Amino acid sequence: MRLGTMTSLFRDRRECAEHFGYIESVQRCRKAGFTVLDMNLCALNRRQTTLHLDNWQEQVDEIRNEAERLGCVFSQSHPPYRRGREGTFATAEEEAFFRAMSLRALEITAMLGAKWAVIHPVMDVTADINDVDAHVRYNQQMFAREAELAAKLGVGLAFENMFDGDQRRFGSTAEDLIAIQDSFHSDLIGICWDVGHANRMYRDQLKPIRKLGSRIKALHIDDNLGKDDLHLLPFEGNVPWEQVMHTLYDSGCEADLIYEIRNNANMPEALRDVTARYCYEVGEYLLSLYR
């Protein structure tokens, strides 16, 4: 297990709506101490990066070259995700662009040498919530092209645990994720465990971690108070991190410890680098608990 962070640690600017470019994000993550990265591509279909442009491959080459120069590696990525429980769009044009960017995100993942791409499962809102087979079939249908391309590229797809809101949402439990994973019959389909999401779903997330064990191929590390998805730094919420880290170790999970945190984003520019370094130090302490 290695410590890493999403490039989105340096994505949002406090002073304006414009995002940091990926190369600057990589540089500043490295300056903070991180050498393992997750390529956060969630904003790709919203055109908030420049990777939707025709020269995207040239841009990715530049990002990869800069990461290699700095001694950084990409462990995983987070492609764009379908919003809402059913993952549908208002227009066919919006869905077509989303699909194109989702497939592009997998190509970017492969070009950067990352092994896993994290995706959000969806649910068939026309089916009964307890009809697991229907929801699994829906995910197979919705992600068929992604799974086919990922297999050709040698990239794994890791389905991430969601959380229930006002209604039950398929994909929120360990059992849901196992059903999806097993249905594909492929070693390139895995599970991403988001500790923050699980803190909202479970009184005790240690049990599902034990159940999933080595099925977990990617981790999203963040904290909250059990209600809202705050994406706080570990130890700023009520996740029992000592127990979580020991259980990850004991369960056989060897996925990298990847931050998905937002608390650095609202810092004034003069404090961004120093708070990022603090995040790194907290992560190093977390790694010391993995035993």
Side-chain angles (χ1 to χ4, degrees):
M1 178 179 283
R2 302 171 296 179
L3 172 64
T5 184
M6 289 189 181
T7 52
S8 54
L9 187 66
F10 289 95
R11 182 184 65 186
D12 302 318
R13 296 181 186 269
R14 185 172 186 255
E15 297 80 6
C16 64
E18 182 182 352
H19 283 181
F20 287 104
Y22 280 111
I23 287 182
E24 182 176 358
S25 296
V26 170
Q27 291 169 339
R28 295 181 74 169
C29 287
R30 180 65 185 91
K31 181 180 179 181
F34 296 99
T35 57
V36 177
L37 301 173
D38 175 307
M39 185 69 168
N40 188 301
L41 296 162
C42 294
L44 181 57
N45 69 302
R46 300 193 296 271
R47 296 178 172 86
Q48 290 176 301
T49 83
T50 56
L51 292 176
H52 68 280
L53 301 175
D54 291 341
N55 69 338
W56 65 273
Q57 291 171 311
E58 179 182 335
Q59 292 185 60
V60 175
D61 285 338
E62 292 173 353
I63 295 167
R64 184 188 63 241
N65 290 339
E66 181 63 6
E68 290 176 354
R69 186 187 72 82
L70 294 170
C72 294
V73 296
F74 287 92
S75 170
Q76 60 193 56
S77 72
H78 199 330
Y81 55 89
R82 295 172 176 270
R83 295 182 178 274
R85 295 186 306 151
E86 68 276 13
T88 56
F89 291 86
T91 67
E93 290 76 14
E94 287 181 11
E95 176 147 24
F97 184 73
F98 171 84
R99 175 54 61 83
M101 292 302 101
S102 296
L103 297 176
R104 179 173 296 185
L106 295 179
E107 294 189 70
I108 292 170
T109 302
M111 289 178 67
L112 293 174
K115 293 182 179 180
W116 292 95
V118 175
I119 56 177
H120 289 192
V122 291
M123 61 180 290
D124 183 353
V125 294
T126 67
D128 185 276
I129 184 56
N130 296 312
D131 189 347
V132 174
D133 289 341
H135 298 298
V136 167
R137 287 194 299 271
Y138 190 66
N139 278 274
Q140 289 179 325
Q141 172 190 340
M142 296 295 275
F143 295 109
R145 280 180 280 181
E146 284 83 354
E148 181 181 5
L149 177 60
K152 290 179 181 178
L153 296 171
V155 171
L157 298 182
F159 284 86
E160 179 179 356
N161 58 309
M162 298 288 98
F163 51 86
D164 292 348
D166 296 334
Q167 304 177 60
R168 169 81 169 90
R169 177 172 178 172
F170 182 77
S172 298
T173 68
E175 291 75 16
D176 291 345
L177 299 177
I178 289 171
I180 297 173
Q181 182 185 27
D182 288 351
S183 73
F184 280 91
H185 306 289
S186 170
D187 291 338
L188 288 176
I189 302 295
I191 289 169
C192 171
W193 191 250
D194 186 306
V195 176
H197 289 179
N199 196 48
R200 300 180 64 185
M201 273 297 300
Y202 291 95
R203 289 182 179 272
D204 176 12
Q205 69 173 288
L206 306 183
K207 292 179 180 178
I209 290 174
R210 292 190 190 100
K211 188 179 187 71
L212 294 173
S214 61
R215 289 175 178 266
I216 300 173
K217 304 301 182 182
L219 287 166
H220 285 174
I221 299 299
D222 58 279
D223 210 334
N224 57 56
L225 296 171
K227 183 180 179 181
D228 298 317
D229 200 24
L230 300 175
H231 292 269
L232 298 174
L233 186 67
F235 303 105
E236 292 183 349
N238 59 17
V239 170
W241 287 103
E242 291 85 354
Q243 297 175 56
V244 166
M245 293 305 298
H246 175 71
T247 304
L248 287 170
Y249 175 82
D250 197 48
S251 72
C253 170
E254 297 179 346
D256 288 328
L257 202 69
I258 302 294
Y259 276 146
E260 187 181 21
I261 54 177
R262 295 183 181 140
N263 56 329
N264 191 46
N266 199 43
M267 287 291 172
E269 178 59 28
L271 297 177
R272 290 293 294 264
D273 292 321
V274 69
T275 54
R277 179 65 191 185
Y278 172 66
C279 294
Y280 174 81
E281 296 293 345
V282 171
E284 285 287 287
Y285 178 75
L286 270 185
L287 277 184
S288 75
L289 301 175
Y290 180 71
R291 52 186 171 80

